[in-house]
Every structure is written in structure tokens, then in C-alpha cells.
Amino acid sequence: TFVKPRRVSPDVVASALPGPGRDRLAQGDVLVVMTGQQPGLFTGPLYTVYKALSAIALARRLERAQGVPVVPVFWVAGDDHDFAEANHASFINAAGDLTRIVLRERAADAPLVPLAREPGGAEMSGALDQLRAGTPESEFKSLVLEWLERCYRPEATLADAFAEALGALLGPHGLAVLRAHDRGVKQAAAPWVLKGLDVTLADGYTPVFVAASQGRDRLEAQG
């Protein structure tokens, strides 16, 4: 099914990281190929990068076939609060064994704050040191470490570090990295999100979340 190209909201365009992809989103009526993932340490599982590459490839193919602008967009789900899925990374060490780096654990009674509000923290330097010490030497190693160190800074949230890393890696190839936790995207999506208040799931709650100081939770419709 072919969908008519539409103009992307200026708020959404502004929420994407700078680069060729954002520039194309702002040029007028476009189609997009959308994929996404919750943030992860050092870009998370390798399939995250594969998903982004697949979106780029599909967008190029569709653009050639349809003759209209098609932009690959990666949705960074910074509102996700599952820290246990974002606090670690695995790699093959110099001995050929699978090695796991864990940034830190979140206490069971800690607020379920979104990853867009979870800084990397002081532990980030140690995680990068583990990666540096454990990975085999190669002609690519120094460039990879420089890339990750530039993005995964202690003061950066896990969501923003993830977005910056993915943008640095694939932004030059046309990927528009969208920070879905940005206020502009939330404002643009509000009319559709609010429709979810009319939906009650099996557990009695709606699919709409509220984010507050103690983290986020789903809303229950009462009147």
C-alpha cells in the first residue's frame, strides 16, 4: 500500500538530531520508514544497529521505486523505564569469550524513572575502561572507543547518549534519529496519545502513562 507523502511537524523535525535525515524531514512532503528501540549501553544489542541499517536500506529502495523522498527514522524510546535492559552490554573479549559489562543495578524500591532521566553517572568511566581493557587490539579499536567516549559521558542520560551514538554512527548515511522523549514530539503526539484514555485494557488500566517525580505509571480512567 502506498501512502501519500505528508509534511512532518516542525516540532518533530526539531526533536531529531542534526544531520542529513533531519534536513530531509524539514524539506516538505516526505514518507518515512520507521524503526526504533529502547536505549542501551554502548548502543545495546547488535540487532539495534541492524534495525537501523535495514530502515536505511528499505528507505533507499522505496525512494528509487516510488520516486518520492523517503527518510529512514529511528525512534529512540527514551520514556522506557526498564533499567535492567539498558544497564549492560556484551562483547567478545581478546580470548574469544563473551564478556558482559554492567553499568550498575537499580534498587528494587527505586523510582522507575525513564531512561531519558537516568544519567550514565560516575560508573560510566569504569564501564568504558572495561571495554578498553577487554577488547582485542585492531585498527578500528581506537576509533570505536573515541566514538563511545564522546557519546556516553557521565552527565548524559542513557537515552541521549544512545541517540547521540546512533546519530554519529549512521546519521551521515541519512538516518534521522528521533528523540521521542523530547517535549516537541510529545506535544505533536498528544492528540493521539489522549485517545488512549478511552481504551481500558484487561487489567483495568489505560495504555497511557504519566511521568512524575517517582517515575512513570499507567493511568486508570475514573469518570
Side-chain angles (χ1 to χ4, degrees), residues 5 71 131 147 213:
V71 182
L131 191 65
W147 159 56
S213 60

Side-chain angles (χ1 to χ4, degrees), residues 70-94:
V70 183
V71 182
V73 176
F74 193 98
W75 179 284
V76 176
D79 286 318
D80 194 290
H81 63 243
D82 195 338
F83 187 69
E85 288 191 354
N87 70 344
H88 62 276
S90 299
F91 67 96
I92 303 298
N93 66 17

Side-chain angles (χ1 to χ4, degrees), residues 181-199:
H181 49 282
D182 186 85
R183 181 180 295 272
V185 174
K186 289 182 177 295
Q187 290 175 337
W192 288 271
V193 172
L194 292 175
K195 291 180 184 296
L197 293 174
D198 298 326
V199 178

Side-chain angles (χ1 to χ4, degrees), residues 4-30:
K4 181 181 178 181
R6 297 187 64 181
R7 185 174 296 273
V8 181
S9 161
D11 287 336
V12 173
V13 172
S15 301
L17 295 186
R22 186 171 79 173
D23 293 343
R24 296 193 73 203
L25 283 177
Q27 286 177 356
D29 294 346
V30 298

